[in-house]
Amino acid sequence: MTDQTPSQRILASRRKFLAAAGLAAPAALAAPAIVRAQAPIRWRLQTYSGAPLGAHVIKPQIDAFNAAANGEMEIELYYADQLVPTGELFRALQNGTLDAVQSDEATMASPVDIAVFGGYFPFATRYPLDVPALFRYYGLQEIWEEAYSEVENVTWLSTGAWDPLHIFTVNKPIRSLADMNGLRVFGVPTAGRFLSRYGLIPVTVPWDDVEVAMRTGELDGVAWCGFTEAYEVGWADVCNYALTNSVTGAWFGSYFVNTESWNRVPPHLQQLYRTTIDQSHYYRAVWYWGGEAKLRVEGEKMELTAIPPEEWNQVVHDAESFWDEVSASSPRAAKVVEAFKQYAATMEAAGYPYR
């Protein structure tokens, strides 16, 4: 048996974490079978992610829920674009084609004035814990609930943290802002909108087509994820360069349900679903956090590059005007930006280990 490469050892150890977290063997959660006169509630849930990534960001939760629901309810899981295109997730959820969705607002074209904050909002966060802290202590939960209360037949349930945003490129290393000019990258909408001021060209293709598009030259890279995903889904096998400058520290990902479908679920199963969402948030935060560091340091597949601090400071400064631009788009958006500013000021004042 040949020795594993550093990245293979890291990925193997992280897959063992799936079992250690109690999510890999959902059958162990099941209670004895009970004969039921009523057919189980059946849901269809589609995630933004493709199957390799979905194996971590959503499947463990759905497996655990289905086992613990003990035959009363079953959720069928679909990955990116399997039932509907990702850009149509919101509409499909609203009209009942889907019962539930896992995505960010920007990617799924959510028709709310806070959609721009879903996914990667430039420099809003540094660490995964920033996301739940913002929702619990800085008013984002109430803002999200208010926004979705105005949307017919869609209920927002929860937002959690994913990975930081880095740029990975196939053949063109980024060592200065000028190197971004003309690069065609697959990426999330808000970050792409911001980075386009440096000449980056956001390109939308189906998730499963990204690797092929990079191999054929249709794409120069991705601005979609961190090191964990790049290695896990195989993009690190195609990309030769990884930019270590991070545009933001954690992706905002949310869980949504069709309101009519949700109201037909009894309270104990609603609570079970919420509990498995929280379990998923925990698992995902640890899985990403550990992987980002180890794969950046020990992963052998990509050369690390960096934009010099004096240039990157300009990007950070430019984000201030971007924040002001978004803040002016609606009073509710202004509340979110103000929460970001208050949070950043508090973390800076608190110092280590917060900043």
Side-chain angles (χ1 to χ4, degrees), residues 26-34 36 67-71:
L29 298 174
I34 299 174
R36 301 184 184 282
N70 195 33

Side-chain angles (χ1 to χ4, degrees), residues 76-100:
E76 298 172 358
L77 174 61
Y78 297 89
Y79 298 106
D81 305 305
Q82 283 192 331
L83 288 182
V84 300
T86 298
E88 297 177 14
L89 281 175
F90 191 92
R91 184 184 306 171
L93 180 67
Q94 193 171 44
N95 67 26
T97 300
L98 297 170
D99 300 286

Side-chain angles (χ1 to χ4, degrees), residues 52-325:
L53 177 61
H56 288 277
V57 302
I58 184 68
K59 190 176 187 298
Q61 178 216 346
I62 301 307
D63 287 347
F65 176 88
N66 285 341
N70 195 33
E72 294 183 65
M73 182 169 172
E74 183 176 354
I75 299 175
E76 298 172 358
L77 174 61
Y78 297 89
Y79 298 106
D81 305 305
Q82 283 192 331
L83 288 182
V84 300
T86 298
E88 297 177 14
L89 281 175
F90 191 92
R91 184 184 306 171
L93 180 67
Q94 193 171 44
N95 67 26
T97 300
L98 297 170
D99 300 286
V101 161
Q102 180 201 50
S103 180
D104 69 279
E105 281 91 350
T107 299
M108 67 186 282
S110 181
V112 292
D113 55 1
I114 57 169
V116 68
F117 302 109
Y120 291 116
F121 193 76
F123 303 103
T125 60
R126 288 196 190 180
Y127 312 119
L129 278 176
D130 291 344
V131 178
L134 280 161
F135 275 82
R136 181 177 292 270
Y137 293 107
Y138 289 80
L140 265 59
Q141 176 163 326
E142 291 77 13
I143 293 172
W144 257 245
E145 288 173 345
E146 177 188 85
Y148 283 98
S149 71
E150 300 170 2
V151 177
E152 184 179 359
N153 211 28
V154 170
T155 298
W156 167 83
L157 293 182
S158 181
T159 295
W162 267 246
D163 50 344
L165 175 61
H166 292 272
I167 303 174
F168 305 97
T169 52
V170 180
N171 295 315
K172 300 176 181 179
I174 300 174
R175 295 189 172 94
S176 70
L177 287 179
D179 291 336
M180 287 193 190
N181 190 44
L183 291 182
R184 297 159 298 175
V185 299
F186 174 71
V188 289
T190 303
R193 172 181 156 191
F194 173 69
L195 292 171
S196 65
R197 64 179 61 195
Y198 310 107
L200 212 69
I201 303 171
V203 178
T204 300
V205 298
W207 194 93
D208 283 336
D209 294 344
V210 172
E211 182 174 336
V212 172
M214 288 194 289
R215 291 187 183 277
T216 61
E218 180 184 352
L219 290 173
D220 295 304
V222 294
W224 168 269
C225 62
F227 283 75
T228 297
E229 290 189 20
Y231 273 87
E232 188 69 38
V233 307
W235 294 344
D237 297 326
V238 183
C239 294
N240 292 305
Y241 302 99
L243 180 65
T244 55
N245 303 81
S246 176
V247 179
T248 195
W251 188 77
F252 279 38
S254 293
Y255 284 84
F256 306 89
V257 290
N258 174 278
T259 305
E260 293 178 359
S261 296
W262 183 243
N263 290 340
R264 288 194 290 267
V265 174
H268 70 286
L269 291 178
Q270 287 187 353
Q271 181 57 53
L272 176 62
Y273 189 63
R274 288 184 183 275
T275 298
T276 58
I277 287 174
D278 288 340
Q279 186 183 35
S280 181
H281 287 333
Y282 165 76
Y283 168 79
R284 197 184 323 105
V286 178
W287 183 71
Y288 275 122
W289 183 251
E292 290 302 310
K294 288 187 72 65
L295 287 167
R296 187 191 301 203
V297 174
E298 301 176 30
E300 76 291 344
K301 294 184 178 181
M302 296 181 287
E303 178 184 335
L304 304 183
T305 66
I307 294 174
E310 59 273 15
E311 282 196 76
W312 192 248
N313 289 341
Q314 180 61 48
V315 178
V316 176
H317 178 72
D318 290 345
E320 295 177 9
S321 62
F322 184 79
W323 282 26
D324 291 341
E325 175 188 327

